[in-house]
């Protein structure tokens, strides 16, 4: 069974969904490690409750991204991680990890990329007036939400939708879509970079 590390910075609802999918065998993979760059993130408590090992660190205690990524890499190797899954990890991945895990780092982003990359993607979509937004799962490269797209799902923005209405719709989709697509990827043994939906 493939061993996954989830990287998260905040709430961790996607982390929780992935743990749940793995526990019920909807996702045939093991959530073997949580990596967290925020010592106050609620996701830490969630990992504790379900017994997933945690590597949490404060980036400010390191001189550079390369330095903290070397520490992350040691943990990834210790736990024999096959695939890195970013789930609300609000930080660009650097060359240390990209070179150690080529084509084995994926991200979920709350918009139909290449529209609305970066922070506050849902707010950006609402303010722009688009009627359709969505969720993108993609391989991670050096850029901000720029890597090859694996799968996308569209979500309607209705006339009276508030930010929290759209957030709720997006989260609901993410929580089943991410486990589904990761399941397809791990079964394919990462042989293909093409879309899986
Ligand atoms: C998710 O909606 C995810 O798509 C987004 O952060 C949220 C994390 O929620 N990621 C990005 O915006 C990445 N650019 P969670 O902590 O409850 O899983």
């Amino acid at each position: 069974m493939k061993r996954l590390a989830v990287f998260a910075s905040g709430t961790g609802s996607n982390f929780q969904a992935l743990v749940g999918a793995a526990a019920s065998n909807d996702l045939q993979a093991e959530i073997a490690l949580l990596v967290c760059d925020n010592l106050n993130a609620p996701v830490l408590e969630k990992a504790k409750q379900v017994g997933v090992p945690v590597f949490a660190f404060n980036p400010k205690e390191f001189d550079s991204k390369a330095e903290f990524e070397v520490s992350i890499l040691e943990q990834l190797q210790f736990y024999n991680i096959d695939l890195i899954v970013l789930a609300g990890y609000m930080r660009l991945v650097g060359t240390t990890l990209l070179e150690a895990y080529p084509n084995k780092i994926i991200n979920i982003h709350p918009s139909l990329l290449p529209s609305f990359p970066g922070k506050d993607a849902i707010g950006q979509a609402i303010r722009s007036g688009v009627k359709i937004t969505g969720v993108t799962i993609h391989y991670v490269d050096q850029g901000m939400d720029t890597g090859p797209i694996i799968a996308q799902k569209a979500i309607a923005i209705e006339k009276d939708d508030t930010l929290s209405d759209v957030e709720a719709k997006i989260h609901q989709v993410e929580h089943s879509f991410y486990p589904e697509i990761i399941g397809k990827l791990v079964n394919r043994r990462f042989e293909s970079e093409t879309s899986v939906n």
Side-chain angles (χ1 to χ4, degrees), residues 60-76:
K60 293 195 180 118
E61 286 172 11
F62 294 82
D63 286 340
S64 65
K65 187 189 292 278
E67 268 194 29
F68 67 70
E69 287 199 341
V70 166
S71 298
I72 295 174
L73 191 52
E74 281 169 12
Q75 297 292 317
L76 298 174

Side-chain angles (χ1 to χ4, degrees), residues 10-15 87-88 90 107-110 118 145 170-171 174:
T11 311
S13 69
N14 280 283
F15 167 78
M90 304 311 267
N107 180 42
I108 191 162
H109 183 77
D145 304 318
I170 289 210
H171 277 132
E174 287 184 336

Side-chain angles (χ1 to χ4, degrees), residues 5-20:
V6 177
F7 284 33
S9 304
T11 311
S13 69
N14 280 283
F15 167 78
Q16 206 165 28
L18 291 166
V19 168

